[in-house]
Amino acid sequence: MVAFTVVMVSCAQQRTPMGGPVDDTPPQILESNPQNEALNYKGKQIYFQFDEFVRVAAATKELVVTPPLKYPVTFKMKGKKVYVNWTDTLADETTYMFQFGEGIVDVNESNPLDSNVFVFSTGDYLDSMQFDGLVIDGFSLKPLENVWVMLYPEDIDSLPYNELPRYFAKTDKAGRYSLRYISPGEYKVFALKPVNSGYLFDQPDEEIGYLKGMYEARNPRDTNATDLPEIKLFLQEDTLQFIKENKQIQNKGLTFEFNRPVEMLQLKELSGMDISFWESTWNSFNDSVVYWFDQPLDYDSLKLEIKVEGFIDTLFLRKPSTSRKGIRRGSSEAERIVVKPSSTTKLPHFKPFWLSVSTPLAETDFSNALLIEEKDTLPMGDLVELEGNKIKLDYKWKQETKYRFFIPDSSLFDRFGTTNDTLLLNLTSTKKEDFGILKISYQLPEVEHGFIWQLQSKDGKLIKEDLVSREGVLNYEFLNTGQYKVKLIFDENDNSRWDPGNYLKDIQPENVVFYEEAIDVRSNWVTELEWILNFESDSEE
């Protein structure tokens, strides 16, 4: 046995010391003036002495003062001392709370101040009333973070538009909030998810929520002190019609997406172009339309006037680029119809197979198109149905069988004379045992309106939606294995959709209830459930 000794020689280098525990100790306040929870303080500064050097770069952004001050607070550092200054004259007999959040941190590890709430009173006592609660999304019922919950001492509808709140707090990751050091009294409760840095409800795309009536602030130690009801946040429906988005589809068409469903639209080209032969295609919600030109247009610009139910807008569109990523100008590939199958791997044996086409079809020729089932060859023409720009292949598919689809070049022609490339697909059909069945019998509250029933995937994707009456049975066949959710919407105005609230009209968002547990669907298995919804408690049994 031979032993080897390896000697490693290197030049000395200066390095940062490695190892050792990470400093996770937050900076400590050694002294302050005034002291925390001081009484009869009417100055314009808080002084802190820390046990280590700190940074206050984010302090102004993080700081929340309740009741709010009119003018901004400033921070000044000197060694391990921090001075918080303001110019406002403090109100008499008022408890002020400074919440620093993560605005004051130590220099080395950015550990935030542990005592991030500082309180004092300008009177002889500290207010000790408190509100606690939860803010959720009115549609998904998920807890919402970073929502301001605000209190107003008067029940006046215009206050959130014009006045700063008396007290406010922000929700945490669990959607919870705590409004502390409140003076005794009754308060209007309003919630806001702002899109700017203010505390006013002054933007149309801000989500809001509120509680009806006034709520009395109570001491948290009182036996009858309870959480406030859940606040459901919603985005008010904008009653004004406008164009949300417009797109040019190369030189073949235009797309317009509107804020609301459209009942009547008038389109006019102001340069004198005849657009009477343009063809319009609306989506199922009637809030988006595609105008297909009668032929490819070689235009420098279009000037369009759009009239929609009293709304008028003028759009100026320049000639779009004819190049696409990966396709050279003039390439024949850019002048081909794009055909997309509903699946490229599996063929569901229990329903028709679909092919979608990028542009409206004008003519088809499936005389040479073939469907190959294992070794049997079938002409495809007898199986094809056209529905708009979609091709439906309706056939009694065999289970767990290999299929080939062959559509030769120039079988499809759109309204612009463009045709397709050869399409060849190899798919295997599914079998019944791959799927599960879900059967739900239900009994819902006896009310004067209908319900919207949704089956969703575990992550909230809509699988199927039904309008249901008070009681019945729903059968879902051929479900993929996995977990599902059931959601019920109280369709109070029977318009077949969920409606958000309206603050000034004192309308809360329509109620939403979920089945309390995730539903497991297993392959080749029937899952049966019963759901009885108790109206009085608005919960499941």
Side-chain angles (χ1 to χ4, degrees), residues 17-188:
M18 302 293 288
V22 176
D23 177 18
D24 57 1
T25 304
Q28 307 290 320
I29 299 174
L30 300 179
E31 64 175 274
S32 69
N33 184 30
Q35 293 185 350
N36 193 25
E37 299 190 347
L39 303 178
N40 297 304
Y41 182 73
K42 299 181 180 180
K44 294 191 175 184
Q45 182 187 84
I46 303 174
Y47 149 74
F48 294 110
Q49 172 72 50
F50 291 97
D51 65 339
E52 59 180 312
F53 291 101
V54 297
R55 291 186 286 109
V56 295
T60 302
K61 180 180 178 181
E62 288 279 325
L63 176 66
V64 174
V65 182
T66 54
L69 300 176
K70 183 177 180 180
Y71 300 105
V73 171
T74 60
F75 289 80
K76 181 180 178 181
M77 292 183 58
K78 187 176 181 181
K80 297 179 182 180
K81 300 176 182 179
V82 173
Y83 299 87
V84 184
N85 299 281
W86 59 88
T87 59
D88 292 64
T89 299
L90 302 180
D92 294 332
E93 305 297 327
T94 301
T95 300
Y96 283 87
M97 179 170 61
F98 286 67
Q99 300 177 74
F100 295 101
E102 297 185 1
I104 301 177
V105 298
D106 64 25
V107 171
N108 293 324
E109 300 293 339
S110 296
N111 296 307
L113 175 67
D114 61 346
S115 305
N116 59 6
V117 175
F118 192 85
V119 182
F120 63 82
S121 174
T122 59
D124 297 330
Y125 60 89
L126 287 172
D127 292 319
S128 58
M129 303 297 106
Q130 184 169 323
F131 280 131
D132 297 298
L134 174 70
V135 178
I136 60 175
D137 182 88
F139 185 67
S140 68
L141 305 189
K142 293 181 179 179
L144 296 176
E145 184 183 6
N146 293 328
V147 176
W148 287 115
V149 180
M150 305 179 286
L151 302 182
Y152 299 87
E154 298 175 278
D155 191 7
I156 301 175
D157 291 339
S158 62
L159 287 176
Y161 294 91
N162 304 316
E163 300 290 336
L164 292 177
R166 174 73 174 175
Y167 300 101
F168 54 91
K170 186 178 285 188
T171 58
D172 59 18
K173 291 182 179 180
R176 303 290 307 183
Y177 65 88
S178 183
L179 290 148
R180 295 180 286 170
Y181 299 100
I182 301 171
S183 62
E186 292 189 334
Y187 295 91
K188 180 184 184 71

Side-chain angles (χ1 to χ4, degrees), residues 309-322:
E309 301 151 15
F311 162 77
I312 301 178
D313 196 6
T314 301
L315 297 177
F316 184 79
L317 305 176
R318 293 191 178 277
K319 181 180 180 179
S321 171
T322 56

